[in-house]
Amino acid sequence: MYAFEIERPTELSAAVAALKDEGAQALGGGQTLIPSLKQRLAMPEKLVSLSAIDEIKGVTREGDALVVGGGATHGEIAAAAEEAGFRGLAMMARQIGDPAVRNRGTMGGSLANNDPSACYPSMALATGATIVTDRREIAAADFFQGLFATALEEGEIIVRIRIPVPAASSYQKFAQPASRFPLVGVFVARTGEGARVAVTGAGEDGVFRWSEAEEALSAGWSAEAVAGLSHPSEGLISDLHGTPAYRAHLIGVMTRRGVADAA
Amino acid sequence: MPQVSMKVNGTERSGEIEGRTLLVEFLREGLKLTGTHVGCDTSQCGACVVHVNGKAVKACTMFAAEAEGAEVTTIEGIAGKDGTLSAVQQAFRDYHGLQCGFCTPGMVMSATALLEENPKPTESEVRHYLEGNLCRCTGYQNIVKAVMAASGQEVAPVAAE
Amino acid sequence: MPKDHGIGASSKRREDVRFLTGQGQYTDDINLAGQAHVHFLRSDVAHGRIRGIDTAAAEAMPGVVRIFTGKDFEGIGSIPCGWQITDRQGNPMQEPAHPVLAQGKVRHVGDPICAVVAESRAQARDAAEAIELDIEALPAVIDMKAALQEGAPKVHDDLKDNLCYDWGFVEDNREAVDKAIREAAHVTTLELVNNRLVANPMEPRVAVGDYASHSGESTLYTTSQNPHVIRLLMGAFVLGIPEHKLRVVAPDVGGGFGTKIFHYAEEAFCTFAAKELRRPVKWTSTRSEAFMSDAHGRDHVTKIELALDAENNFTALRTETHANMGAYLSTFAPSVPTWLHGTLMAGNYRTPLIYVNVKAVFTNTVPVDAYRGAGRPEATYQLERVIDKAARELGVDPMELRRQNFITEFPYATPVAVEYDTGDYNATLDRLKELADVAGFEARRVASKAKGRLRGFGMNCYIEACGIAPSNLVGQLGARAGLYESATVRVNATGGLVVMTGSHSHGQGHETTFAQVIAEMIGIGEDQVEIVHGDTARTPMGMGTYGSRSEARPWSVRPRRSSTRRGRSRPT
């Protein structure tokens, strides 16, 4: 790691102020950022740790929504989602990394990073979540803007994520065996506005929705409804772990599994 | 240089750090608690697992500055003051759950955290919980047996999934 | 009743207590007063010519003590190879120089170019980034067959070509084998790759060099399976330090899997620099660095042909293997595809004619050396795969094809220079079939299929030569050091024994098992026996632990000595 200073404010406003400094960068749970700092892939002058700010922590139920603090850890989220009967999110959070990683890594950090293979973006997109920051609210549909790119401005902090709990949901992750990141991950949700299917790990531009499957499932929620559908391979990631055609195939398989699981 | 203070294995400790000092570096180099090991640089191997405020974390993927005011338990704080091994430590010894010993501190810390959260895990739960702890010698079988034994459950026969 | 003591007892491992409580002492746990840290700036190209190295800016960075380059090692020895192979024509293998830091050229990704010594690890790495390297990238050879083509880029400009050796075994059988294959009723041919891998013990490699100016003695603390071998190779061949002025300590070692047998440049560097700088110098590998600086394993490409007569008896076996040596010859690399491999090609079978040809090749890749079984699993893999393929081609049961060709009369002299003293492979196979419930397999397969799962069945036979020795034999085969072992038993003035062994432990639990043997031989309690290893200052001689030798070699030494001492020390 290159040398940098580290600050650990206890108030959100202090963190926002600290992030105004040249070369300052926010540090969430650090489970992605710290390994990349070790590889010297980033060169911040100052890290502003968000780990001591109580107002971005915790998970609460507000009506039909689950409100997840930007600083809530995957472990806390898995437990809270389980209790709220939010199957898809519980499945997702308890499969991220490993227990020690889940005790540090946060939803806010993951969404802000928008890794094309991260799990949460598919959940946020499929549920129509709202990302609440220190200065505004951003709909998930507007939030994700390509690989590692989001609508967040410099120094903007994710305070909480408001997630409408779907009537039924599931997350199916086909893990790349070495990294345990999804080679393809599919989040399916039966919501008041119809069926939603969001795919992570596969798209060249990051997370996306599979509208053809959504239409079929909105007409009738069953694995049979999507049995005949296949996702085109155009625009899908090609790397040493899988071809676009392989990923396209997995999208179909994981979608059907998800629907069957959430039936 | 900035200072950091934390309670480690029940004792208040403090020392000088850089911003980039990792918790594991502070423990190993600052406090000479060398039982916590570093086996990778990608947060995958788990040899560095310690407990911070009761939660298992990878000490190589957390800055020392973030442990300010925290209660930290390392492998050196697991056995009784008289040297009596904990149930997990004893079971690892009884069931030959270690060979070279390098991954062992992290394994013991993770297994201890598991049994605090889930005192009677199934074999599958043990395997999943230890996903972030790599061992190169044992093939894991005896580690799983040891954790099952430490939880007071029957160990044999333990089959691979 | 099971024994509770001595040989055969299920004793709890004594070393476990320290490992379980965080009291183990691994090399990275050692920090010496005043120590500096080194970071190696490594090549990021597979092959290149060093045109210039500008360290001026880096030297001005905070905490930098000194920056070493290949120039500092001119006149210093080359990292030696410990085994010489003689080729089919009777000539010695081609053996390139292996400098501690690259001189003139870099030959693989990870080849160390500069060593930055600084007050802290982070400062050393910071400064390494400020070094300006001017390296002209050259065409690289990665594929072994391409490396042997006419006009291929040469890994070592001063060698004739990229062929380290072309070995034939047994060369006198060559024509007879060719003839038998030409005339066979059936020949099964298989080409296969035994892929390269990284050994990855959990503990990355570490070296700490120290120098005592009052006595002129150097000490190296290192993650080694065999500190005495490091003392020999580094002292005699690289740095020119007499053995009595060089101490090598390998404390607790966190797994080896072969890759911690060898003598590495980083060890020589830390020992050398500690003397130059008059302060301890420490290097701790990162995992990423281990991938490009620890010797890799395997990397064989083989064509194997099995000839059978009309009754399916094996009549001849011929193999041609390309074995990747990487860019330099690591300590035991030449022995792995040859003596550790060719001698196993008979397997459990009565094949009268065998010829093994091995072409060892230099490429612009990380050096390859012994890894888990080292050459022997590769031999078994080829042989057993070709037998399975032959069974499929002939439409016979692969188990029965094996059984038909099993060696049944012992002692049996194979055509590849080893004699099997005893065995009963039919009994073993019968027991295997029973344990694996071969008869019930079809029902299990059908049941799995009904659940949408595919179930397969595979088996193989395996015979391995372990504990390679004695020195006289291995010397004839090209080993440049003996493969003896030593132990010293000392009766403590205050009671109990200390046994100092030259073998080492990187997880095997010698402190427990050796104590059991000694206690049984002498007739005292295990707790009265302490085992010491891993320090050349405490055990004068030894050869370490690899190739499953530590039971076979030292144990055969120890009981004899123990009984001698017993006679002497008993009061009359």
Side-chain angles (χ1 to χ4, degrees):
Chain A
M1 281 179 277
Y2 296 105
F4 50 78
E5 289 174 37
I6 192 160
E7 274 186 40
R8 200 161 173 253
T10 53
E11 303 289 335
L12 182 64
S13 55
V16 172
L19 282 169
K20 290 201 164 75
D21 290 351
E22 188 75 20
Q25 189 175 347
L27 170 67
Q31 303 304 288
T32 300
L33 180 57
I34 295 174
S36 27
L37 289 168
K38 287 188 200 173
Q39 302 295 325
R40 299 194 167 213
L41 298 173
M43 204 171 178
E45 283 169 37
K46 182 169 80 175
L47 287 184
V48 180
S49 167
L50 308 180
S51 64
I53 305 170
D54 287 337
E55 56 195 297
I56 66 167
K57 291 188 179 173
V59 184
T60 53
R61 180 85 195 222
E62 288 178 15
D64 291 337
L66 199 67
V67 178
V68 177
T73 63
H74 311 318
E76 292 161 358
I77 294 164
E82 188 93 48
E83 199 177 303
F86 189 168
R87 180 173 175 77
L89 179 58
M91 291 172 85
M92 174 178 280
R94 67 170 177 250
Q95 287 185 73
I96 297 173
D98 56 59
V101 167
R102 292 195 284 274
N103 284 334
R104 293 292 301 168
T106 65
M107 185 182 281
S110 173
L111 291 175
N113 190 47
N114 193 22
D115 187 305
S117 294
C119 294
Y120 286 135
S122 65
M123 181 280 303
L125 202 56
T127 57
T130 303
I131 288 91
V132 182
T133 74
D134 60 274
R135 59 199 76 166
R136 57 181 170 149
E137 299 198 352
I138 310 170
D142 302 324
F143 183 82
F144 302 107
Q145 302 190 346
L147 304 187
F148 300 102
T150 69
L152 291 174
E153 296 166 357
E154 281 294 310
E156 189 171 3
I157 296 171
I158 297 176
V159 177
R160 67 188 78 91
I161 303 96
R162 201 164 54 237
I163 310 164
V165 179
S169 63
S170 178
Y171 178 63
Q172 298 292 324
K173 167 172 154 179
F174 191 92
Q176 198 277 323
S179 72
R180 305 285 165 89
F181 271 86
L183 194 59
V184 167
V186 177
F187 195 96
V188 299
R190 193 149 56 85
T191 75
E193 289 154 37
R196 298 284 188 87
V197 178
V199 181
T200 189
E204 283 181 327
D205 296 322
V207 66
F208 64 88
R209 281 167 59 186
W210 186 14
S211 49
E212 200 185 355
E214 291 184 353
E215 282 160 28
L217 289 168
S218 295
W221 182 271
S222 72
E224 290 74 50
V226 284
L229 295 184
S230 57
H231 193 280
S233 54
E234 284 74 35
L236 300 188
I237 294 171
S238 174
D239 59 20
L240 79 164
H241 306 302
T243 60
Y246 183 60
R247 282 188 163 86
H249 175 72
L250 283 178
I251 291 171
V253 172
M254 304 320 274
T255 302
R256 287 191 289 280
R257 285 186 190 172
V259 174
D261 180 64
Chain B
M1 264 196 201
Q3 283 275 129
V4 70
S5 300
M6 63 189 82
K7 192 179 257 186
V8 180
N9 300 329
T11 306
E12 285 295 345
R13 305 295 296 266
S14 60
E16 287 191 338
I17 53 166
E18 283 187 82
R20 60 180 164 178
T21 304
L22 296 165
L23 177 58
V24 70
E25 292 168 338
F26 179 70
L27 294 171
R28 286 182 56 80
E29 291 157 30
L31 303 184
K32 311 295 178 206
L33 292 170
T34 55
T36 303
H37 296 153
V38 179
C40 75
D41 25 281
T42 47
S43 310
Q44 283 167 310
C45 83
C48 67
V49 169
V50 300
H51 298 175
V52 174
N53 295 328
K55 298 272 189 194
V57 303
K58 292 185 165 173
C60 77
T61 314
M62 175 172 176
F63 292 111
E66 293 183 286
E68 173 67 38
E71 294 212 6
V72 176
T73 306
T74 70
I75 187 66
E76 288 91 345
I78 292 295
K81 288 211 165 19
D82 63 350
T84 310
L85 299 181
S86 74
V88 170
Q89 289 170 320
Q90 187 61 48
F92 267 71
R93 191 173 188 217
D94 291 346
Y95 288 88
H96 195 23
L98 64 152
Q99 288 179 34
C100 81
F102 195 80
C103 75
T104 307
M107 285 286 179
V108 169
M109 296 311 288
S110 281
T112 302
L114 165 64
L115 297 186
E116 277 164 17
E117 286 172 32
N118 181 1
K120 299 280 176 203
T122 64
E123 186 198 328
S124 169
E125 285 171 339
V126 172
R127 288 181 185 276
H128 279 112
Y129 199 92
L130 296 178
E131 192 174 28
N133 291 83
L134 302 182
C135 171
R136 193 75 171 77
C137 300
T138 63
Y140 302 100
Q141 198 74 349
N142 287 351
I143 291 174
V144 176
K145 280 187 187 176
V147 180
M148 294 301 281
S151 72
Q153 302 185 86
E154 203 171 320
V155 293
V158 176
E161 279 184 311
Chain C
M1 218 177 99
K3 287 180 73 174
D4 62 357
H5 187 81
I7 296 172
S10 181
S11 298
K12 298 269 180 282
R13 297 205 322 170
R14 56 176 66 178
E15 42 275 86
D16 285 0
V17 176
R18 70 174 186 271
F19 295 151
L20 283 161
T21 54
Q23 304 304 311
Q25 195 186 42
Y26 299 86
T27 310
D28 193 45
D29 301 341
I30 295 171
N31 291 294
L32 303 178
Q35 95 192 345
H37 299 259
V38 60
H39 176 84
F40 291 95
L41 179 63
R42 298 177 183 277
S43 176
D44 59 4
V45 297
H47 194 195
R49 194 171 311 286
I50 302 171
R51 288 193 296 218
I53 301 173
D54 184 351
T55 59
E59 272 158 17
M61 297 277 287
V64 172
V65 175
R66 188 171 151 190
I67 298 174
F68 293 80
T69 68
K71 277 202 174 6
D72 296 292
F73 286 84
E74 282 168 7
I76 302 288
S78 166
I79 307 282
C81 178
W83 201 298
Q84 181 186 292
I85 294 298
T86 303
D87 75 6
R88 290 173 49 204
Q89 278 74 42
N91 300 315
M93 64 187 185
Q94 293 205 84
E95 195 169 352
H98 184 182
V100 174
L101 294 176
Q103 291 177 357
K105 262 173 69 164
V106 286
R107 297 184 176 85
H108 66 87
V109 170
D111 210 356
I113 303 165
C114 300
V116 182
V117 181
E119 298 296 337
S120 78
R121 243 179 123 179
Q123 286 173 331
R125 189 163 170 191
D126 289 344
E129 288 196 11
I131 294 174
E132 286 189 34
L133 290 179
D134 179 9
I135 292 184
E136 175 196 357
L138 299 172
V141 279
I142 305 300
D143 179 79
M144 289 188 276
K145 288 175 186 169
L148 295 181
Q149 297 289 313
E150 193 79 24
K154 276 164 72 171
V155 179
H156 296 277
D157 299 339
D158 53 340
L159 298 187
K160 198 162 77 245
D161 50 27
N162 292 321
L163 181 67
C164 177
Y165 56 75
D166 180 8
W167 185 75
F169 183 64
V170 174
E171 193 58 27
D172 291 346
N173 288 350
R174 184 185 178 92
E175 283 178 23
V177 169
D178 289 350
K179 181 165 180 287
I181 288 175
R182 271 198 312 275
E183 293 171 356
H186 184 87
V187 178
T188 295
T189 304
L190 179 66
E191 295 194 42
L192 50 81
V193 174
N194 215 303
N195 65 278
R196 173 184 288 248
L197 50 77
V198 183
N200 272 324
M202 290 305 298
E203 178 203 31
R205 287 192 299 118
V206 180
V208 189
D210 191 20
Y211 179 73
S213 46
H214 67 276
S215 61
E217 287 174 14
S218 292
T219 301
L220 170 69
Y221 301 87
T222 184
T223 47
S224 178
Q225 299 175 214
N226 32 241
H228 296 84
V229 175
I230 307 306
R231 180 182 64 178
L232 169 67
L233 297 175
M234 183 175 79
F237 298 96
V238 187
L239 300 179
I241 306 172
E243 285 203 352
H244 70 284
K245 291 290 186 192
L246 176 58
R247 176 185 174 201
V248 179
V249 182
D252 289 328
V253 177
F257 309 104
T259 204
K260 288 180 184 166
I261 297 172
F262 323 120
H263 174 44
Y264 287 98
E266 296 87 355
E267 296 171 319
F269 177 82
C270 289
T271 309
F272 174 84
K275 185 175 178 185
E276 284 287 301
L277 300 171
R278 293 294 196 270
R279 61 187 289 192
V281 175
K282 180 174 185 174
W283 172 70
T284 301
S285 174
T286 63
R287 178 62 55 190
S288 303
E289 204 174 7
F291 272 70
M292 51 186 178
S293 66
D294 292 5
H296 291 181
R298 316 272 190 237
D299 207 350
H300 291 185
V301 177
T302 295
K303 179 183 177 189
I304 180 166
E305 295 159 288
L306 176 66
L308 303 95
D309 68 14
E311 280 77 49
N312 296 344
N313 297 307
F314 301 165
T315 57
L317 183 78
R318 180 168 67 193
T319 74
E320 184 190 25
T321 289
H322 287 77
N324 206 335
M325 296 288 104
Y328 302 100
L329 286 180
S330 178
T331 307
F332 289 120
S335 69
V336 174
T338 50
W339 297 112
L340 294 179
H341 172 249
T343 50
L344 270 295
M345 282 314 306
N348 305 57
Y349 312 102
R350 212 169 43 228
T351 312
L353 289 164
I354 297 176
Y355 179 71
V356 178
N357 175 241
V358 179
K359 295 174 180 72
V361 186
F362 295 114
T363 60
N364 293 111
T365 61
V366 175
V368 180
D369 206 329
Y371 166 81
R372 299 201 97 168
R376 295 163 291 182
E378 291 92 321
T380 300
Y381 179 59
Q382 294 161 28
L383 181 60
E384 296 293 313
R385 286 281 311 273
V386 80
I387 294 172
D388 273 342
K389 190 177 181 204
R392 274 198 301 279
E393 287 176 355
L394 297 165
V396 298
D397 179 346
M399 282 193 173
E400 294 312 312
L401 180 61
R402 286 175 168 85
R403 189 193 292 280
Q404 176 184 341
N405 286 283
F406 273 161
I407 297 160
T408 52
E409 286 173 27
F410 296 88
Y412 175 82
T414 72
V416 278
V418 287
E419 183 173 285
Y420 299 167
D421 55 353
T422 183
D424 187 346
Y425 307 148
N426 277 310
T428 312
L429 184 60
D430 290 342
R431 181 77 177 126
L432 174 83
K433 288 179 86 161
E434 187 187 316
L435 286 171
D437 186 19
V438 174
F441 174 73
E442 185 54 23
R444 295 197 297 279
R445 192 186 66 76
V446 170
S448 295
K449 196 165 185 198
K451 288 189 278 186
R453 299 194 178 242
L454 301 173
R455 182 185 287 270
F457 189 92
M459 61 85 62
N460 80 281
C461 299
Y462 189 32
I463 187 163
E464 181 171 311
C466 290
I468 182 169
S471 301
N472 187 18
L473 171 70
V474 297
Q476 291 173 44
L477 303 183
R480 287 164 168 168
L483 287 179
Y484 58 84
E485 200 40 83
S486 90
T488 307
V489 179
R490 179 177 294 156
V491 181
N492 299 322
T494 48
L497 303 178
V498 172
V499 180
M500 288 152 279
T501 81
S503 76
H504 194 22
S505 174
H506 42 285
Q508 289 84 351
H510 292 173
E511 289 164 55
T512 304
T513 50
F514 287 11
Q516 285 181 270
V517 174
I518 301 291
E520 173 111 2
M521 298 304 299
I522 297 191
I524 58 173
E526 278 172 44
D527 57 355
Q528 289 180 277
V529 182
E530 187 181 329
I531 305 296
V532 169
H533 56 212
D535 184 347
T536 63
R538 297 191 70 184
T539 308
M541 296 192 297
M543 288 304 289
T545 292
Y546 39 83
S548 308
R549 71 189 302 272
S550 283
E551 283 194 345
R553 297 275 66 77
W555 283 34
S556 64
V557 168
R558 197 164 302 106
R560 280 209 304 275
R561 293 221 169 163
S562 298
S563 49
T564 314
R565 298 293 162 130
R566 178 181 184 165
R568 281 185 195 164
S569 60
R570 277 270 167 101
T572 49

